[in-house]
Amino acid sequence: TEECWELVPDPDYEKPVVQPYEKVTWDIVKVSKANPDKTLPDAEFTLSQDSIPIYKGITGADGIVKWHKIGTPEQALNSSQDIEKGTYVLSETKAPEGYIVTAQTWVVEISAKGIKPVIKKPGGENVTDSVLKLDSQTQHYVMTIENEAIYNLPSTGGPGIFVYTIGGTLLLMAA
């Protein structure tokens, strides 16, 4: 007898598509709103999925966020290129001393590990080109996040009204 083989395509099999892309590094840099040349250390950020923090980042003296995956040893990733593919919510969780936490959040879409992410506001407005700019010196894409300093009101008063109240009461009693 003769055996016949029929090639039947498997509907669950997806053919791989190879698309070349350029690996890039993107950094988040924390600066003072009053003085954009002043970088801010010790700010903390998270990249979360479904409200669960996946990556935590802390700014160094240069203001650049160094990331590490939560649940792994505190070893920093080599760069942002090592963040896995996915859609994350970027938020600041702790501001540097003397500054206010940024209330703004961003949606960061990484379609492949090591490529330039797409950054959007929570409403869906794409802001990648306006916030992620190529630094000509380092050849890294840089997202600058500004922090406002905590507003301190100056002390404008004297000793208060306590002395005047007691003095007025004594004058009334003497009269």
Side-chain angles (χ1 to χ4, degrees):
T1 68
E2 189 175 346
E3 289 186 14
C4 293
W5 293 87
E6 182 180 348
L7 184 59
V8 178
D10 183 359
D12 295 330
Y13 177 75
E14 291 183 20
K15 294 180 182 178
V17 177
V18 178
Q19 295 180 341
Y21 60 88
E22 179 184 358
K23 284 197 167 217
V24 299
T25 300
W26 56 279
D27 293 321
I28 296 173
V29 179
K30 194 67 168 168
V31 297
S32 172
K33 188 171 186 171
N35 180 5
D37 293 331
K38 180 181 179 185
T39 58
L40 303 175
D42 302 324
E44 294 182 10
F45 291 89
T46 59
L47 286 173
S48 305
Q49 290 179 326
D50 299 323
S51 300
I52 300 169
I54 306 296
Y55 293 95
K56 180 179 179 179
I58 301 174
T59 58
D62 57 0
I64 296 175
V65 178
K66 300 294 182 202
W67 296 101
H68 75 272
K69 190 165 187 170
I70 295 175
T72 61
E74 294 285 319
Q75 180 179 1
L77 300 176
N78 290 331
S79 73
S80 57
Q81 287 181 343
D82 295 334
I83 294 175
E84 297 291 332
K85 171 184 174 181
T87 301
Y88 303 94
V89 174
L90 170 66
S91 58
E92 183 177 13
T93 56
K94 180 183 167 207
E97 188 175 331
Y99 289 86
I100 301 170
V101 173
T102 304
Q104 176 73 44
T105 60
W106 298 268
V107 176
V108 178
E109 295 175 0
I110 301 174
S111 59
K113 189 175 176 180
I115 70 168
K116 180 180 169 186
V118 174
I119 300 175
K120 299 179 178 183
K121 288 184 180 177
E125 178 189 348
N126 187 343
V127 294
T128 300
D129 295 332
S130 62
V131 298
L132 201 60
K133 300 181 183 203
L134 183 63
D135 184 332
S136 60
Q137 293 178 341
T138 63
Q139 294 302 309
H140 292 190
Y141 284 91
V142 176
M143 177 179 179
T144 303
I145 299 177
E146 297 176 335
N147 265 118
E148 286 190 37
I150 294 175
Y151 191 77
N152 292 324
L153 293 174
S155 176
T156 59
I161 62 168
F162 186 69
V163 172
Y164 296 108
T165 303
I166 291 178
T169 304
L170 292 173
L171 285 173
L172 284 172
M173 289 171 48

